[in-house]
Amino acid sequence: MTRKFFGTDGIRGRTNQMPMTAAMALRVGQAAGAHFQRGQHRHRVVIGKDTRLSGYMMESALISGFTSVGVDVVMVGPVPTPAVALLARSMRADLGVMISASHNPFEDNGIKLFGPDGYKLSDADEAAIEARLDHEPKLVAPCDIGRARKIEDARGRYIHAAKATFPDGLRLDGLKVVIDCANGAAYQVAPAALWELGAEVVAIGVSPNGLNINDGCGSTRPEELRKKVVEEGAHIGIALDGDADRLIVVDEKGAIVDGDQLMALIATRWHRRGILRGGGLVATVMSNLGLERYMEGQGLALVRTRVGDRYVLEAMRANDYNVGGEQSGHIILTDYATTGDGLVAALQVLACLVEQEKPASEMLRLFEPLPQLLKNVRFAGGAPLEADTVKSAIASAELKLQGKGRLVIRKSGTEPLIRVMAEGEDPALVEELVDSICEAVRAA
């Protein structure tokens, strides 16, 4: 079923434009609240947010929606997305809501929904909620309106849970870590967790003002982190995105390490310890062919899914894998979390650094990636991928690759973008093919 509002990661868009309006947030609260009223108990939703200015507006509207259909609200303030998933489950809530547009600029916002088990909603649940948006909600009697309250220990609960994933007997003493929190949801919890585990912490991107989330910082803009790591003589740098479910690492020389290398590191470490399940890891079609070849060389499998951490998680749960994620840095470790968690994944990387006593530049380069190029083309409407000229450009590129590389061309599930990726042995050819397809998309 085609979904009108839900993309690959909830509902997302520019604030004060459909679907990211206060009126829409109120309706989503009513629809989701009504959908999850199962059983006779008092119903509860946990609502968290990142640091965007529009978070206040969206939070208030969601609270109005949920309480109007008889659902109590627990507000936890600015916390990472995985914290909301954790709290929804641990507090026996019927639903968890994260108000965030992840790595997008502050002008955007989004609504991510988690079920009572802490997992993102299924397609069926999202379709059912969408169907309710087309009908007037059934409002409760005045005496049954929900109550809203804020709890102050949410961040402490999450810090404790994240630290508990770090291996017993290990400490970060003597390790200098630069962490970039993207002026986002983890600006308090991530530096605190690292410091409590013994690290010397240099924190940047920890001064949110509502407008600077992901602005020249975080996992999608790690340039400042790279400089800071070298300036400080740090052992490693960690970059999170706006809602802290994504991780990118910088080694001591300032080189960027993406999610493919990090997944390879964690999976092989867990394999050596005998705790890797599934015989490999799950990644998307965007992961580098070098990762696939490396895993095969270790006697392990790489299972690919369509793009979106929700699809990675579905494959992990269906086949009992406990390591998976995306090249972009969404890393899911189901032994510890029900969704991507940048801090928890970073702690696994830091555990390897402590155990191996090698420089990050040596430890984090497990395979040589094939030349890969990704470019985005923004479009205003229509279906450019259906144009004959675009189809012809794609067919021509596939012919030139002659089976020695890969093409992945897709519409983004979170932004009005066409993403064009090519991978192959010849970097000049890869660039030529990406540019030719992008030009065809623009013309269409």
Side-chain angles (χ1 to χ4, degrees):
M1 177 185 292
T2 301
R3 292 176 296 182
K4 183 178 179 183
F5 299 114
F6 284 91
T8 56
D9 200 15
I11 304 173
R12 190 178 299 185
R14 192 175 182 88
T15 309
N16 273 347
Q17 296 179 13
M18 279 294 289
M20 274 299 106
T21 65
M24 182 64 170
L26 185 146
R27 292 300 295 268
V28 169
Q30 292 173 326
H35 179 67
F36 278 92
Q37 286 196 30
R38 301 163 184 172
Q40 300 303 312
H41 62 279
R42 187 74 190 175
H43 299 286
R44 171 189 287 182
V45 59
V46 172
I47 299 182
K49 60 183 179 180
D50 64 22
T51 56
R52 294 163 208 271
L53 178 62
S54 58
Y56 296 99
M57 177 185 78
M58 303 303 288
E59 181 182 51
S60 297
L62 282 163
I63 291 170
S64 295
F66 280 114
T67 54
S68 71
V69 294
V71 178
D72 292 336
V73 175
V74 178
M75 296 173 282
V76 298
V79 293
T81 287
V84 171
L86 167 77
L87 292 166
R89 183 171 56 173
S90 67
M91 296 184 71
R92 296 181 65 187
D94 299 275
L95 189 65
V97 180
M98 179 65 181
I99 304 168
S100 174
S102 191
H103 59 280
N104 288 26
F106 89 92
E107 295 94 341
D108 294 344
N109 216 328
I111 300 171
K112 302 182 184 185
L113 302 176
F114 295 89
D117 56 0
Y119 288 99
K120 290 182 179 177
L121 299 192
S122 66
D123 288 346
D125 278 325
E126 289 183 348
I129 291 170
E130 280 208 353
R132 288 179 179 271
L133 295 175
D134 293 330
H135 305 284
E136 284 298 316
K138 183 180 179 181
L139 304 181
V140 298
C143 61
D144 293 324
I145 289 172
R147 300 174 184 270
R149 65 187 175 94
K150 185 172 183 178
I151 62 170
E152 301 298 336
D153 66 341
R155 287 189 288 272
R157 292 190 190 200
Y158 174 70
I159 290 171
H160 177 76
K163 287 168 55 185
T165 68
F166 195 68
D168 290 340
L170 290 186
R171 292 278 298 172
L172 298 178
D173 299 317
L175 210 62
K176 191 172 188 178
V177 181
V178 181
I179 183 160
D180 180 353
C181 297
N183 292 314
Y187 77 102
Q188 293 176 317
V189 296
L194 294 175
W195 184 83
E196 290 177 16
L197 286 168
E200 179 183 350
V201 180
V202 179
I204 62 176
V206 290
S207 302
N209 61 16
L211 309 177
N212 61 358
I213 188 170
N214 301 313
D215 185 10
C217 56
S219 62
T220 54
R221 295 288 186 273
E223 292 78 16
E224 187 61 32
L225 176 64
R226 297 175 67 187
K227 287 187 218 172
K228 199 71 173 175
V229 167
V230 175
E231 281 175 12
E232 293 282 343
H235 296 93
I236 196 168
I238 295 167
L240 307 174
D241 67 338
D243 68 335
D245 64 355
R246 180 185 294 205
L247 165 73
I248 292 294
V249 168
V250 169
D251 69 24
E252 83 282 0
K253 297 179 180 179
I256 296 171
V257 182
D258 67 15
D260 283 349
Q261 298 281 0
L262 302 179
M263 286 188 289
L265 177 72
I266 295 169
T268 51
R269 175 179 180 268
W270 285 21
H271 179 57
R272 288 193 301 271
R273 294 176 60 204
I275 61 173
L276 182 70
R277 297 199 308 276
L281 64 85
V282 180
T284 75
V285 293
M286 300 300 289
S287 278
N288 196 278
L289 191 56
L291 172 61
E292 187 172 326
R293 293 175 177 176
Y294 172 78
M295 294 297 289
E296 288 174 354
Q298 302 297 308
L300 299 170
L302 175 67
V303 175
R304 293 186 184 269
T305 72
R306 59 193 285 196
V307 173
D309 63 320
R310 62 185 292 143
Y311 304 113
V312 171
L313 184 57
E314 284 175 5
M316 292 174 69
R317 296 180 73 186
N319 300 288
D320 196 33
Y321 284 77
N322 58 350
V323 177
E326 298 185 280
Q327 185 187 65
S328 61
H330 283 113
I331 297 178
I332 305 171
L333 307 174
T334 52
D335 286 1
Y336 304 128
T338 56
T339 188
D341 191 321
L343 177 57
V344 166
L347 291 178
Q348 291 300 308
V349 173
L350 293 173
C352 293
L353 195 62
V354 172
E355 289 173 336
Q356 296 187 21
E357 299 182 338
K358 295 178 181 178
S361 56
E362 182 180 341
M363 183 192 75
L364 294 171
R365 181 64 68 165
L366 296 181
F367 63 87
E368 193 62 39
L370 266 69
Q372 187 183 78
L373 181 62
L374 170 66
K375 291 189 177 181
N376 298 318
V377 182
R378 189 168 292 273
F379 68 101
L385 294 183
E386 298 300 315
D388 289 340
T389 51
V390 175
K391 291 179 179 179
S392 176
I394 293 171
S396 175
E398 288 174 338
L399 189 62
K400 289 179 180 178
L401 279 174
Q402 297 178 331
K404 296 180 180 178
R406 298 188 306 128
L407 285 177
V408 180
I409 296 95
R410 65 183 186 89
K411 181 182 176 182
S412 169
T414 58
E415 298 177 83
L417 300 173
I418 300 297
R419 303 195 189 277
V420 180
M421 188 277 280
E423 179 180 75
E425 304 282 356
D426 183 351
L429 177 61
V430 166
E431 184 171 10
E432 174 193 325
L433 299 181
V434 168
D435 287 344
S436 67
I437 296 172
C438 286
E439 186 55 41
V441 171
R442 290 190 195 96

